[in-house]
Amino acid sequence: NDFYSAFEKIISRNKIPLVCGGSGLYIEASLRNFEIANVPEDVIFRESRMQQYIQELINELKNFSDLFSRTDISSKKRIVRALEIAEFSKHSKVEYTSQNAPDIRPVIFCVSADAKFRNRNIDKRLEERFNSGMIQEIEFLLKHGVSYDRMQMFGLEYKWISKYVAGKMNYDEMHEILKNEIHRFAKRQMTWFRGMEKRGLKINWIEAASKNDMIAEIYGYLNDASSAG
């Protein structure tokens, strides 16, 4: 809803909306106007289910074939959300809504890089976040009302660093696991983007190079498209 509202406001000013980043799911949901279940968040349910092994959750979700077929089972959070919807459906009807989407004709660019290059950049970014005080940020959050269980629902850095802060693993173990988890997440995102192409969204792939080279390539494409009408 927020995306469509922002899109319309930008268009009304005669400007071109530019969406940067976000997961493939969020981008595709916006471009294809996914139907979203109107089911409220159940914090207690989520926190308890996040303690279970992912295979247990998958096996339970298989009892709900429609939800199972539409759920990304590589993500524990999404499996728990699907189970949350299933639990809600036991006592209330689940309403699905989609918005009156604006006319969006997207031009999509995605940076393509081999795994070694991508992982080096991930590792560099992670070190920058550590050096900028991320551990201290998570210590602050845990001391000021954000529960450990709640922290497990957030992004990978919050999940694993909170385990270290809580004394559940040492620094080196946390650091290595976190790096590998982000590597795997990035690989899954690339798989999602390739899936978007199969589902009809054209992606213009740009080889990873210097920032200036990539910007020049994007502008070159846009200029060619403009000239072609």
Side-chain angles (χ1 to χ4, degrees):
N1 294 346
D2 291 341
F3 170 79
Y4 291 149
S5 175
F7 181 93
E8 295 281 21
K9 288 177 181 177
I10 295 168
I11 289 293
S12 72
R13 299 197 302 271
N14 217 23
K15 302 294 184 180
I16 297 176
L18 181 64
V19 179
C20 297
S23 74
L25 172 63
Y26 293 154
I27 293 170
E28 188 170 3
S30 299
L31 296 179
R32 298 181 61 209
N33 195 17
F34 280 6
E35 291 187 335
I36 306 297
N38 290 328
V39 173
E41 176 185 3
D42 186 335
V43 175
I44 296 175
F45 179 89
R46 289 186 181 189
E47 290 182 349
S48 66
R49 291 311 184 92
M50 287 298 291
Q51 305 305 312
Q52 295 179 235
Y53 291 111
I54 191 169
Q55 193 57 52
E56 293 177 342
L57 299 170
I58 291 172
N59 291 339
E60 183 177 353
L61 187 60
K62 286 179 179 178
N63 295 321
F64 306 92
S65 57
D66 183 52
L67 279 170
F68 180 78
S69 67
R70 295 187 286 115
T71 301
D72 174 11
I73 60 171
S74 69
S75 166
K76 194 174 187 180
K77 285 197 298 186
R78 291 178 187 156
I79 297 170
V80 170
R81 173 57 178 167
L83 290 172
E84 185 178 49
I85 294 170
E87 184 67 21
F88 180 89
S89 70
K90 293 177 182 178
H91 53 79
S92 301
K93 182 180 179 181
V94 177
E95 300 286 349
Y96 286 86
T97 62
S98 60
Q99 302 302 308
N100 294 320
D103 179 21
I104 302 175
R105 286 163 285 177
V107 178
I108 306 172
F109 296 96
C110 188
V111 177
S112 176
D114 63 67
K116 288 184 178 179
F117 180 90
R118 185 174 68 237
N119 290 343
R120 279 200 306 271
N121 279 352
I122 287 171
D123 295 346
K124 178 182 177 183
R125 172 179 174 271
L126 184 60
E127 292 307 313
E128 289 172 350
R129 298 193 78 180
F130 276 126
N131 293 335
S132 297
M134 188 160 198
I135 293 177
Q136 291 76 14
E137 175 193 346
I138 290 170
E139 288 175 334
F140 178 88
L141 292 172
L142 288 169
K143 288 178 182 177
H144 291 81
V146 181
S147 71
Y148 171 82
D149 288 341
R150 182 68 171 161
M151 199 71 78
Q152 300 306 296
M153 301 291 292
F154 297 159
L156 290 171
E157 289 91 343
Y158 291 93
K159 173 182 176 179
W160 290 102
I161 295 175
S162 65
K163 288 180 183 291
Y164 161 67
V165 172
K168 296 181 181 294
M169 59 178 55
N170 63 44
Y171 178 89
D172 290 339
E173 183 182 12
M174 174 274 292
H175 192 272
E176 189 64 23
I177 290 175
L178 178 54
K179 278 201 309 184
N180 291 333
E181 285 291 305
I182 301 175
H183 294 170
R184 281 193 284 269
F185 180 82
K187 182 179 179 181
R188 290 199 301 270
Q189 285 299 301
M190 298 306 292
T191 300
W192 187 287
F193 290 128
R194 286 190 288 270
M196 284 171 57
E197 286 191 299
K198 294 177 181 177
R199 292 185 288 273
L201 288 171
K202 175 178 170 53
I203 293 179
N204 301 284
W205 293 92
I206 300 175
E207 287 299 320
S210 73
K211 182 171 68 174
N212 288 338
D213 288 343
M214 289 191 287
I215 290 172
E217 189 169 348
I218 291 171
Y219 272 110
Y221 178 92
L222 293 175
N223 288 333
D224 291 344
S226 177
S227 298

